[in-house]
Amino acid sequence: MATTIIRTVEEMRQTVRRWRCKDGSIAVVPTMGALHEGHLSLVRVALSHADWVVVTVFVNPTQFNNAEDLIAYPRTEESDLAKLTTVGAHVLYAPSVDVVYPKGFATTVHVGNVSHGLCGAHRPGHFDGVATVVTKLFLQIGADIALFGEKDFQQLHVVRRLARDLDIPIQIIPCATIREPDGLAMSSRNRRLSTPERQIASHLPAVLFHAAEQLRQSLPTHEVIAEAKRRLEEAGFDGIDYVDLRSETDLSPLDTLDRPARLLAAASLPSARLIDNVRVAPPAWKQRI
Ligand code: PAF
């Protein structure tokens, strides 16, 4: 069956009420569109957990701190719809900017702690925009579960925190990053990369996986991070916002690999800023479990 497009809050709520009358469970996959295999894998997981799946497509202006980036963000609704029909999503919820932020809108959701540092330090206001729109989408749809990719690892923490803190009854399910054959994490922004930029981009996961292996071998964290930054510069990245080791469970900074962690990085090319992260745990940790 073809995926149905819904554009208003009223119609979205009516649809959810109908599903609830049949005791159906509901999953939501929030996206900004330009769907790729990473998004579709989230939809497949959603379909395995719930009776009904809503995919939201909304290019959220409040989370862009750069007007050019907002304008350049790909908008591909027709092909998104075709892809969602192929995988079997039930609804594509695509509200307009006026529906999400009507005249007079004056509320911001700010999540402390986990939104500070990393991308939060380099994209002022970004996580306020994410937290505000995700809260609105959660409240508009009222789904039981929501699926988020681990590529946006800090975002995953922000969303988990807001759902807990605001008592929104939704379970957040993290899903592993889906990668291209050369390791590059799938992202809607990848399509903006020129051929030479695409080649440079593939160094980001390679450098992170290599650094993670060095951490596992107990090399000093600050040396591993310094070398990773050097290698990214040599590969041709314009600017490296950060390469950082953080606790996987609460994103607190780590000087040594003494618990399950994530090595996270953000680096820029002229056409796009890329982020990625890899999991790294001390060898002894595995033995203890
Ligand atoms: O990850 C994204 O695509 C966006 O940040 C999200 C979660 C859909 C909010 O706009």
Side-chain angles (χ1 to χ4, degrees), residues 30-32 58 60 63 130 133-134 148 152 155:
T31 82
M32 295 204 299
F58 179 65
N60 175 33
Q63 72 186 75
V130 170
V133 82
V134 167
F148 288 86
D152 298 290
Q155 169 172 281

Short mmCIF file of all heavy atoms in Angstrom, two decimals, residues 30-32 58 60 63 130 133-134 148 152 155, ligand 1:
data_model
loop_
_atom_site.label_atom_id
_atom_site.label_comp_id
_atom_site.label_asym_id
_atom_site.label_seq_id
_atom_site.Cartn_x
_atom_site.Cartn_y
_atom_site.Cartn_z
N PRO A 30 11.78 10.28 13.20
CA PRO A 30 11.92 11.69 12.82
C PRO A 30 13.09 11.87 11.84
O PRO A 30 14.19 11.36 12.07
CB PRO A 30 12.22 12.39 14.15
CG PRO A 30 11.87 11.40 15.22
CD PRO A 30 12.13 10.06 14.61
N THR A 31 12.84 12.61 10.74
CA THR A 31 13.91 12.87 9.76
C THR A 31 13.74 14.28 9.20
O THR A 31 12.71 14.92 9.40
CB THR A 31 13.86 11.89 8.56
OG1 THR A 31 12.88 12.35 7.60
CG2 THR A 31 13.54 10.47 8.96
N MET A 32 14.76 14.70 8.45
CA MET A 32 14.63 15.94 7.70
C MET A 32 14.56 15.62 6.20
O MET A 32 14.83 16.48 5.37
CB MET A 32 15.78 16.89 8.02
CG MET A 32 15.74 17.34 9.49
SD MET A 32 16.56 18.90 9.82
CE MET A 32 18.21 18.54 9.33
N PHE A 58 10.69 16.96 8.01
CA PHE A 58 10.56 18.40 8.27
C PHE A 58 11.96 18.99 8.37
O PHE A 58 12.73 18.61 9.27
CB PHE A 58 9.78 18.63 9.58
CG PHE A 58 9.64 20.09 9.92
CD1 PHE A 58 8.91 20.95 9.10
CD2 PHE A 58 10.25 20.61 11.06
CE1 PHE A 58 8.79 22.31 9.41
CE2 PHE A 58 10.13 21.97 11.38
CZ PHE A 58 9.40 22.81 10.54
N ASN A 60 13.93 21.43 9.68
CA ASN A 60 13.63 22.29 10.83
C ASN A 60 14.51 23.55 10.86
O ASN A 60 15.70 23.46 11.21
CB ASN A 60 13.84 21.46 12.11
CG ASN A 60 13.66 22.28 13.35
OD1 ASN A 60 12.85 23.21 13.38
ND2 ASN A 60 14.42 21.95 14.40
N GLN A 63 17.05 24.58 13.88
CA GLN A 63 18.27 23.87 14.27
C GLN A 63 19.45 24.17 13.34
O GLN A 63 20.53 23.61 13.51
CB GLN A 63 18.02 22.37 14.36
CG GLN A 63 17.84 21.64 13.04
CD GLN A 63 17.45 20.19 13.27
OE1 GLN A 63 16.32 19.89 13.63
NE2 GLN A 63 18.37 19.26 13.06
N VAL A 130 16.69 21.31 17.81
CA VAL A 130 16.38 19.88 17.73
C VAL A 130 15.40 19.49 18.85
O VAL A 130 14.38 18.84 18.62
CB VAL A 130 17.67 19.02 17.83
CG1 VAL A 130 17.33 17.54 18.00
CG2 VAL A 130 18.56 19.23 16.62
N VAL A 133 11.79 20.90 18.28
CA VAL A 133 11.00 20.25 17.24
C VAL A 133 10.69 18.79 17.60
O VAL A 133 9.58 18.30 17.35
CB VAL A 133 11.67 20.38 15.85
CG1 VAL A 133 12.76 19.35 15.61
CG2 VAL A 133 10.61 20.26 14.76
N VAL A 134 11.66 18.10 18.21
CA VAL A 134 11.41 16.69 18.55
C VAL A 134 10.31 16.61 19.62
O VAL A 134 9.42 15.75 19.55
CB VAL A 134 12.72 16.00 19.00
CG1 VAL A 134 12.44 14.65 19.65
CG2 VAL A 134 13.65 15.81 17.81
N PHE A 148 16.15 6.52 16.48
CA PHE A 148 17.16 7.51 16.11
C PHE A 148 18.46 6.78 15.79
O PHE A 148 18.82 5.81 16.47
CB PHE A 148 17.42 8.48 17.27
CG PHE A 148 16.29 9.45 17.49
CD1 PHE A 148 15.20 9.10 18.28
CD2 PHE A 148 16.29 10.71 16.88
CE1 PHE A 148 14.15 9.99 18.47
CE2 PHE A 148 15.25 11.60 17.07
CZ PHE A 148 14.17 11.24 17.86
N ASP A 152 24.19 10.42 14.96
CA ASP A 152 24.00 11.67 15.70
C ASP A 152 23.94 11.32 17.19
O ASP A 152 22.88 11.37 17.82
CB ASP A 152 22.71 12.35 15.24
CG ASP A 152 22.77 12.72 13.78
OD1 ASP A 152 23.53 13.62 13.43
OD2 ASP A 152 22.09 12.06 12.97
N GLN A 155 22.85 13.97 19.70
CA GLN A 155 21.40 14.20 19.52
C GLN A 155 20.59 13.09 20.22
O GLN A 155 19.57 13.36 20.86
CB GLN A 155 21.07 14.23 18.03
CG GLN A 155 19.58 14.18 17.72
CD GLN A 155 19.30 14.40 16.24
OE1 GLN A 155 19.31 15.52 15.78
NE2 GLN A 155 19.01 13.33 15.51
O1 PAF B 1 18.42 13.99 12.83
C1 PAF B 1 17.63 14.70 12.18
O2 PAF B 1 17.34 14.44 11.02
C2 PAF B 1 17.02 15.91 12.88
O3 PAF B 1 17.91 16.50 13.75
C3 PAF B 1 15.68 15.58 13.58
C4 PAF B 1 15.89 14.61 14.73
C5 PAF B 1 14.70 15.00 12.60
C6 PAF B 1 15.08 16.86 14.17
O4 PAF B 1 14.84 17.80 13.18
#
